[in-house]
Amino acid sequence: MERKHEMAGILAPIVGLGGVFAAILIHRSWWRLTENAISDLGKVGLSYNWVMNASLIIAAVLALYYLHGLWEELEGTLQKIGVAVFAAGLLSLAGIGVFPEGTGPHYYVSWGFFVACSIGMLLIGIGLYIQGEKTLGLLAFAIFTVGWILALWAKSRFQGVAVAEFIGVFGIVTWHYALLKRFLVPEA
């Protein structure tokens, strides 16, 4: 994978989560992990909503650029399908920034991000497992399974959905960096 794709892959989660955590700091007077959704930080009409929304759009663009490089590296139909599904999830991530809470499409793009990215991750993982990369395949399966179980538990346990959302995000980010590590080019 070319270095420019690797760098985009490294930066994408940092930019996205950096914007979310900056928005949490800005709105710490009212935002609560167990009572809110992450999207509350970007809702229509909220001051500084652009902090999170812009970071999600930029992160999605960076991650899509990384996926372009990943597409060239992965072999097998299942892995390619997984990348395409994951890309749909990243388009939904950008959609969360473009269609913030308080707009009609927001609910659909939010779910689209979590569902498509986790299914894409699972498909890539299964493809890698079949190809002989057992560790990455099992990691994808474990993150998918445990992540969804914990997220659904958190969704039923807390008033807000932010805990469930962070479980999903951290699972996807963990998988992303594990897969990216496979392709990092050693320094010359």
Side-chain angles (χ1 to χ4, degrees), residues 98-182:
V98 173
F99 303 107
E101 184 178 303
T103 64
H106 179 75
Y107 176 82
Y108 302 103
V109 293
S110 290
W111 272 101
F113 166 68
F114 290 107
V115 171
C117 282
S118 61
I119 291 173
M121 170 187 71
L122 182 62
L123 292 173
I124 295 167
I126 292 169
L128 289 170
Y129 186 88
I130 291 168
Q131 183 182 318
E133 295 189 47
K134 306 294 186 204
T135 302
L136 279 173
L138 290 172
L139 179 64
F141 180 77
I143 289 173
F144 179 87
T145 304
V146 173
W148 274 98
I149 290 169
L150 289 176
L152 291 171
W153 169 82
K155 189 174 180 301
S156 69
R157 173 72 173 91
F158 301 108
Q159 178 183 346
V161 294
V163 173
E165 292 171 330
F166 274 122
I167 289 168
V169 167
F170 290 139
I172 291 165
V173 169
T174 300
W175 160 253
H176 165 75
Y177 281 127
L179 185 60
L180 177 62
K181 183 178 183 240
R182 174 185 185 257

